[in-house]
Amino acid sequence: SQQGEEDPQALSIQEGENATMNCSYKTSINNLQWYRQNSGRGLVHLILIRSNEREKHSGRLRVTLDTSKKSSSLLITASRAADTASYFCATDSRESGGSNYKLTFGKGTLLTVNP
Amino acid sequence: DAGVIQSPRHEVTEMGQEVTLRCKPISGHNSLFWYRQTMMRGLELLIYFNNNVPIDDSGMPEDRFSAKMPNASFSTLKIQPSEPRDSAVYFCASSLDGAVDTQYFGPGTRLTVL
C-alpha cells in the first residue's frame, strides 16, 4: 500500500490564491520530500523536511510536518498559472523486516491554477 | 549542467518485441533508480543501484524485466518479451548518496506496446 497519500486528488484555484495540499503516511519516517511534475515531464524536487523539523520555507513554498499525526502539508502562496502541475509527497520507508530504505511516492495532487 | 538523460523519449513496439531503455545519471551521483508511472498504479520503484550494484529489485514485475548498470554513467532497463500491460512512462533518477536522498529525475521514456 502507498506510504504517502496526497489529499485532495485535484485542486483548482485562481491565480493569486493560496494552494494547500496534504500528505498522510502510515509508518515513522526520517524525512519527507515534496516533488512537482509538470505534464509530460519528470519529477522535480521542491523541498525536504526532516522528522525533527516542524516547518520549512522555500520561496513561495511552506511545508509543515506533524509526526504525531503522520501528516504534512505543502502551501503555495500567491499561486501562478506556471504552478499548474502534479505535486507528490515522498517518504522514506522500508519493508517490514527489510534493511533497505527507499522513497515511496503518493499518487499526487493535480493542481490547476487558472489565469 | 546536464541532468539525467534518458533515451529514447518515446518507444512504440509490438507485443513480444524486446525493448531497451537507457539512462545516464548525473555525474558524481552514486545511486540510480528506475521507476514506472501509470495512471492506475502511480509511480512505482522498479529497482535501484548503489555504486553500480543492484540493492533492491523487489519492484521488478517479473522475469521479463531486467536492469543492468555496467558502470557509473550508464544503465539499461530491458523488457523481453514486451506486453501491452507494460505500456507506461519509465523514469530514471539519480541521487548523490542513497535511496532517501534528493532524487533527480530524467524526462522519462513513454513506452507503448501494441
Side-chain angles (χ1 to χ4, degrees):
Chain A
S1 62
Q2 296 287 340
Q3 163 72 324
E5 294 191 5
E6 294 86 349
D7 169 62
Q9 290 187 336
L11 179 62
S12 182
I13 60 174
Q14 296 299 121
E15 214 166 21
E17 293 179 340
N18 296 340
T20 300
M21 290 157 273
N22 303 297
C23 170
S24 59
Y25 56 92
K26 296 182 175 66
T27 61
S28 61
I29 59 171
N30 296 307
N31 65 59
L32 184 145
Q33 304 182 37
W34 284 91
Y35 288 77
R36 183 188 73 220
Q37 183 179 31
N38 290 87
S39 179
R41 311 287 287 273
L43 279 73
V44 174
H45 179 260
L46 295 176
I47 198 165
L48 179 153
I49 186 166
R50 302 192 188 283
S51 59
N52 61 354
E53 298 175 308
R54 291 296 167 259
E55 188 170 310
K56 204 162 183 180
H57 296 81
S58 177
R60 293 184 297 112
L61 305 181
R62 173 177 167 248
V63 169
T64 62
L65 179 64
D66 187 334
T67 53
S68 66
K69 295 182 179 178
K70 292 187 170 58
S71 68
S72 173
S73 67
L74 170 66
L75 169 67
I76 304 175
T77 60
S79 64
R80 305 167 182 168
D83 295 328
T84 295
S86 291
Y87 291 82
F88 297 85
C89 68
T91 52
D92 57 348
S93 65
R94 62 181 175 180
E95 297 289 327
S96 176
S99 59
N100 297 317
Y101 279 90
K102 62 183 180 182
L103 277 188
T104 303
F105 289 81
K107 289 197 173 180
T109 292
L110 176 60
L111 173 66
T112 302
V113 182
N114 302 299
Chain B
D1 190 16
V4 175
I5 299 171
Q6 290 187 247
S7 65
R9 293 294 309 277
H10 302 273
E11 176 82 28
V12 180
T13 190
E14 293 189 346
M15 183 173 64
Q17 297 297 307
E18 177 180 295
V19 175
T20 299
L21 311 181
R22 297 173 175 79
C23 175
K24 177 178 168 54
I26 293 173
S27 177
H29 283 193
N30 71 3
S31 298
L32 182 140
F33 312 85
W34 283 101
Y35 290 91
R36 177 173 68 178
Q37 186 177 41
T38 61
M39 289 294 292
M40 287 295 294
R41 300 174 68 90
L43 193 67
E44 302 173 279
L45 176 66
L46 300 177
I47 186 171
Y48 87 85
F49 296 83
N50 205 42
N51 293 319
N52 313 338
V53 176
I55 300 299
D56 184 350
D57 65 355
S58 59
M60 295 286 263
E62 49 199 89
D63 291 347
R64 297 185 297 107
F65 285 68
S66 62
K68 294 182 179 179
M69 192 166 186
N71 57 63
S73 59
F74 184 66
S75 176
T76 60
L77 177 68
K78 186 175 293 187
I79 308 172
Q80 165 66 8
S82 57
E83 297 182 2
R85 60 191 168 122
D86 301 330
S87 297
V89 181
Y90 291 81
F91 289 103
C92 176
S94 69
S95 75
L96 193 60
D97 186 19
V100 297
D101 196 3
T102 297
Q103 295 186 14
Y104 297 81
F105 283 73
T109 295
R110 181 173 295 277
L111 173 66
T112 303
V113 183
L114 303 174

